[in-house]
Amino acid sequence: MTLKLHTHREYLELMEELTQHDKRYYDDNRPTISDYEYDRKLHLLIQYEKEHPDQIDPNSPTQRVAEAPTEGFVQKAHKTPMLSLANTYSEKEVEDFIHRVHKLLEKEKVDFCAELKMDGTAISLRYEKGKLLHALTRGNGRMGDDVTANIKTIHAVPLTLKGSFPESVEIRGEVYMSLAIFRALNAAREEEGFEPFANPRNSAAGSLKLLDPGEVTKRKLQIVCYGISEDLSSALTQGELLEQIKTWGLPVSSPKHRAICHDLKEIMHFAEKIHQERDALPFEIDGIVIKVNDLKAHALLGATGKIPRFAVAYKFAPEQAMTKINDIVVQVGRSGVLTPVAELAPVLLAGSTITRATLHNQEEIVRKDLRIGDWVWIEKGGDVIPKVTAVDLKKRARDSKPWHMPEHCPICKAVVIQQEGEVAVRCPNPHCVGQRMRSLLYFASKQAMNIEHLGEKVIEQLVEKGLVSRASDLYLLDEASLLQLDGFKEKSARNLLKSIAASRQCLLSRFIMGLGIKYVGTETAELLAEEFRDLDTLMKAQADDLVAIEGIGEKTALAIADYFHHKDHREEIQRLRTHGVQPQPLKKKMASHPFGGKTFVLTGALAHYTRDKATCCIKERGGHVSGSVSKKTDYVLAGEDPGSKYDKAKKLGIQILSEAEFTQML
Ligand code: IVH
């Protein structure tokens, strides 16, 4: 690894390389190296620029704005610039930061507030007279993209601040995606043939830039706030400021994730504690941020360029390991998507032995230039299985050859296809055993029918022995057939039969999930079960009925209607029922309430309810919520600044409820 740049040529080469990485990161949301690698390279560049200030190239990433404006969004100015933090991986540099602060403030004792460094994307929320005016991304620091409509999909962001607040304030924070949502999103994307996101941060940043807020809602973004743009609050310290932001109704990090530290030792102790807890956190962090606790000192300390002197980010180096790609095998997903997987020489990484890493798709392999026999770096990101981050070309065998996706499905040998605009290559054969196996595994999985003891190995054998080829066959299995499977004894056979039998009385939402309808994940399955309450009604629904449900987009509605239209699917559902599977309709709740059977449309901002909460209140009382006003609408619940739905309701003579009337009726 290069430790220092020596010549101007080396400097220009590295500058060019980093520019490429910036493009992949900011424009494509598809970085090909880890942050750690990037920071290490950038550090070399900065070092060279410090030593040769006369040679700084105007195109250097250190001189350029971080983020280009995004098409489709209006750019607006930040009240005060959004700066970025100085990053370090070294304890020594944290020590230097502390000394610098002491010196500049001419104080012997300075308190620091150490917090989590959330790994998401920065946001600035501007409130005027307590009302959310707009939400801007950092952009180039002075101007950001107006992503207000998308931010409003985060229910934790209040449209109106609570308590007493300044006339005008910009609250700064981080928008992030939880690991659970990120993993589910990536699994669905791969299954649907889309490029998976590299990590939760890229998926949060990418989601914020979607042009359809309906799609953003599904991404379930979250937010945590960590500061304000100017000293406008009565808080004296960073700790107090966070508590103040909380009283305005915005989420801040939990007190157990911050600490007041008095010296380097205490800061390192906090960093170590957080490092140990890191794997158990439901979201990703990439280090800690250390801030001077006294807010008045922030202004005194000022900034160097775009970097303030009051804080520093101490980042955790990712755990990496080097290993060899022994082979690249291809897995077939339930919808036929082929995924290349690297079989690795076993290596220890973050406490577990790693033998496989997903390579996602052919494009990814080409981009990273990976070949069988290569020595590669692997790293644990947000995904459960690690990813290959880089290849050591110096160790490449001379006779190695580029890898290509097979032209035939590795299981059924059908000729594979690639649809236009998709990165995924698919096996087009609906009877492919590989696809069937994956569909069965999905049917039995925890989030669907939850059939215990029915894992990959068992399903593989059941299919190979011709005992099961579709889900309904599971319900015909008996002890004698299970005893044919490797490792099965009477007890294990009985346990599996018991779990299969128990799944006959499943929840309707789980049954819908198990069918594996395109674009239908847990959330949509639950929504469908709640809306339709029984399978027959759902099976009869037309795309139009489905799209009227808030939370179901056109693409999903079409996929659902299409699925139930298919003769094979209807027959399989009938077989499952004949074999005793009885999806449990949800009981009608509070059926006698006046909301029972009524259809509501929500418009405008409600002061005391989030959209979710209002929807929940209606549904609990037997009502439905629809996304658009039609003759079938019974009530329109109108909050502040209602939109065109309000006008349409008036035109159609539909009863409009104010928030107060709604509360009273509840
Ligand atoms: S304070 C001058 N505190 O880290 C900037 N930033 O460049 C002050 N971040 O994307 C930022 N967690 O959004 C601060 N507890 C925290 C943070 C945090 C994450 C992000 C920030 C920005 C990057 C810093």
Side-chain angles (χ1 to χ4, degrees):
M1 266 184 209
T2 321
L3 293 173
K4 194 169 165 55
L5 300 177
H6 296 287
T7 63
H8 188 59
R9 199 169 140 198
E10 279 176 1
Y11 167 71
L12 290 178
E13 274 171 11
L14 185 61
M15 191 186 86
E16 181 56 34
E17 186 189 333
L18 287 171
T19 307
Q20 285 298 323
H21 288 308
D22 276 349
K23 184 187 165 298
R24 286 182 202 135
Y25 184 98
Y26 291 111
D27 300 348
D28 309 340
N29 271 319
R30 290 198 314 206
T32 51
I33 59 169
S34 66
D35 282 9
Y36 178 68
E37 271 304 295
Y38 180 90
D39 286 343
R40 202 183 57 78
K41 287 174 193 275
L42 186 67
H43 191 73
L44 290 179
L45 201 80
I46 295 172
Q47 210 49 43
Y48 186 87
E49 289 180 347
K50 265 192 196 154
E51 288 165 18
H52 307 90
D54 51 317
Q55 292 182 25
I56 298 179
D57 193 289
N59 291 321
S60 163
T62 60
Q63 310 296 304
R64 286 183 338 116
V65 296
E67 210 183 318
T70 318
E71 216 173 290
F73 290 94
V74 175
Q75 275 77 52
K76 290 194 178 147
H78 297 294
K79 238 175 149 191
T80 56
M82 277 184 93
L83 306 177
S84 35
L85 291 169
N87 280 336
T88 181
Y89 291 89
S90 114
E91 180 173 338
K92 169 75 178 54
E93 285 183 20
V94 176
E95 191 176 15
D96 293 348
F97 160 77
I98 296 172
H99 285 318
R100 211 162 39 241
V101 167
H102 279 268
K103 211 167 134 201
L104 290 168
L105 294 178
E106 295 174 355
K107 276 189 169 173
E108 277 187 15
K109 279 193 179 149
V110 179
D111 288 351
F112 295 93
C113 180
E115 301 170 2
L116 301 188
K117 180 159 163 34
M118 301 296 295
D119 204 4
T121 183
I123 195 80
S124 182
L125 308 171
R126 174 135 167 209
Y127 286 89
E128 290 292 335
K129 295 198 172 63
K131 302 270 180 244
L132 178 65
L133 179 74
H134 60 222
L136 309 181
T137 62
R138 176 159 59 200
N140 64 13
R142 284 179 300 103
M143 307 273 291
D145 289 331
D146 185 339
V147 291
T148 316
N150 290 345
I151 284 296
K152 282 185 179 167
T153 69
I154 306 176
H155 293 299
V157 175
L159 300 180
T160 310
L161 294 180
K162 291 193 202 142
S164 58
F165 41 77
E167 266 282 296
S168 167
V169 62
E170 270 185 14
I171 298 162
R172 304 272 160 93
E174 194 86 347
V175 170
Y176 66 97
M177 185 180 277
S178 76
L179 283 164
I181 300 290
F182 166 72
R183 287 172 187 155
L185 175 68
N186 259 3
R189 282 176 76 86
E190 289 206 62
E191 198 53 57
E192 288 158 20
F194 297 119
E195 182 87 12
F197 285 110
N199 51 47
R201 177 201 30 218
N202 286 109
S203 67
S207 302
L208 256 198
K209 299 287 177 76
L210 290 173
L211 294 174
D212 174 5
E215 278 302 307
V216 185
T217 310
K218 291 191 198 151
R219 302 283 173 93
K220 293 189 185 297
L221 294 172
Q222 296 183 51
I223 192 171
V224 64
C225 298
Y226 50 68
I228 57 175
S229 65
E230 287 157 284
D231 183 14
L232 281 170
S233 80
S234 52
L236 296 174
T237 64
Q238 170 68 13
E240 285 169 10
L241 174 64
L242 293 180
E243 287 308 315
Q244 179 138 93
I245 295 176
K246 197 168 154 200
T247 65
W248 295 338
L250 283 147
V252 296
S253 69
S254 123
K256 66 176 193 280
H257 289 149
R258 51 185 199 248
I260 300 301
C261 304
H262 305 93
D263 54 26
L264 180 69
K265 199 168 149 216
E266 288 183 12
I267 290 172
M268 286 302 146
H269 178 72
F270 177 74
E272 185 48 38
K273 173 179 151 296
I274 296 298
H275 195 214
Q276 293 198 355
E277 288 173 15
R278 186 186 188 189
D279 286 345
L281 293 174
F283 46 77
E284 274 214 313
I285 57 168
D286 56 342
I288 60 165
V289 181
I290 305 142
K291 300 174 179 174
V292 171
N293 197 33
D294 176 6
L295 296 178
K296 291 273 170 297
H298 291 195
L300 287 177
L301 287 164
T304 34
K306 287 191 278 179
I307 295 182
R309 292 198 195 90
F310 77 83
V312 71
Y314 177 54
K315 298 207 347 181
F316 301 141
E319 288 184 67
Q320 288 184 317
M322 184 160 244
T323 186
K324 193 176 172 192
I325 300 185
N326 283 336
D327 199 1
I328 298 179
V329 296
V330 174
Q331 279 180 354
V332 186
R334 71 191 154 84
S335 61
V337 173
L338 304 191
T339 307
V341 175
E343 293 206 326
L344 306 167
V347 62
L348 201 66
L349 176 67
S352 45
T353 304
I354 309 297
T355 54
R356 306 188 119 201
T358 175
L359 302 177
H360 300 302
N361 51 52
Q362 164 89 30
E363 249 183 48
E364 177 97 350
I365 295 180
V366 171
R367 201 165 46 228
K368 290 187 178 150
D369 186 17
L370 305 175
R371 300 180 183 188
I372 294 172
D374 273 350
W375 283 86
V376 289
W377 286 103
I378 58 166
E379 203 177 275
K380 273 217 170 144
D383 289 301
V384 186
I385 36 178
K387 54 180 67 158
V388 172
T389 52
V391 52
D392 188 344
L393 291 177
K394 283 191 219 103
K395 287 194 178 166
R396 172 168 286 173
R398 279 219 199 110
D399 57 352
S400 85
K401 293 195 183 60
W403 185 87
H404 293 290
M405 195 63 126
E407 285 170 8
H408 294 93
C409 167
I411 309 283
C412 73
K413 310 295 175 218
V415 175
V416 300
I417 53 162
Q418 186 169 25
Q419 271 157 12
E420 216 182 294
E422 281 200 349
V423 283
V425 169
R426 291 172 192 271
C427 161
N429 171 15
H431 306 292
C432 168
V433 171
Q435 290 184 40
R436 293 214 160 189
M437 247 156 37
R438 288 284 144 195
S439 302
L440 283 166
L441 203 57
Y442 187 77
F443 181 81
S445 68
K446 270 211 177 83
Q447 76 263 39
M449 300 295 273
N450 195 17
I451 306 179
E452 271 186 281
H453 317 290
L454 193 56
E456 197 166 344
K457 289 268 165 329
V458 179
I459 288 184
E460 232 172 67
Q461 292 193 62
L462 287 171
V463 174
E464 270 166 17
K465 293 201 184 313
L467 293 166
V468 170
S469 73
R470 48 190 167 221
S472 55
D473 296 340
L474 291 169
Y475 298 93
L476 296 174
L477 287 170
D478 55 18
E479 207 174 302
S481 37
L482 288 183
L483 289 174
Q484 298 174 34
L485 309 185
D486 286 350
F488 262 74
K489 299 247 160 55
E490 253 167 48
K491 192 166 171 220
S492 39
R494 267 188 219 145
N495 280 343
L496 176 53
L497 288 174
K498 238 194 244 165
S499 320
I500 296 175
S503 74
R504 286 193 166 100
Q505 303 293 318
C506 58
L507 278 179
L508 177 58
S509 55
R510 287 178 165 276
F511 182 82
I512 298 170
M513 222 8 225
L515 296 175
I517 307 169
K518 211 169 172 187
Y519 312 125
V520 176
T522 312
E523 191 196 346
T524 310
E526 280 171 4
L527 201 62
L528 291 171
E530 230 171 275
E531 284 289 328
F532 291 94
R533 290 166 198 277
D534 76 77
L535 193 55
D536 291 310
T537 327
L538 169 62
M539 286 172 72
K540 281 186 216 132
Q542 301 296 315
D544 281 353
D545 307 322
L546 291 157
V547 93
I549 301 169
E550 184 150 306
I552 296 192
E554 209 171 301
K555 202 172 64 172
T556 313
L558 282 171
I560 299 166
D562 201 38
Y563 182 91
F564 289 117
H565 194 68
H566 213 294
K567 187 167 149 270
D568 290 354
H569 297 152
R570 299 179 82 92
E571 282 174 3
E572 171 65 352
I573 291 171
Q574 192 44 50
R575 269 192 298 272
L576 282 161
R577 286 173 137 179
T578 313
H579 299 160
V581 180
Q582 292 178 322
Q584 299 296 299
L586 289 175
K587 289 185 193 75
K588 276 214 189 304
K589 298 166 203 159
M590 300 193 204
S592 58
H593 194 272
F595 286 4
K598 300 285 189 239
T599 301
F600 283 71
V601 171
L602 312 181
T603 177
L606 300 169
H608 299 95
Y609 307 82
T610 59
R611 251 165 202 262
D612 265 355
K613 176 83 184 128
T615 305
C616 196
C617 291
I618 295 166
K619 286 189 176 166
E620 274 174 4
R621 287 155 183 81
H624 306 277
V625 177
S626 158
S628 54
V629 178
S630 72
K631 276 186 240 151
K632 287 189 198 154
T633 312
D634 295 294
Y635 297 107
V636 166
L637 170 57
E640 238 178 87
D641 297 329
S644 59
K645 293 178 193 170
Y646 179 89
D647 302 332
K648 189 162 176 197
K650 277 208 131 174
K651 226 192 244 168
L652 293 174
I654 291 162
Q655 190 174 347
I656 295 172
L657 296 179
S658 68
E659 183 170 342
E661 286 166 333
F662 175 72
T663 307
Q664 207 172 17
M665 283 176 84
L666 283 179

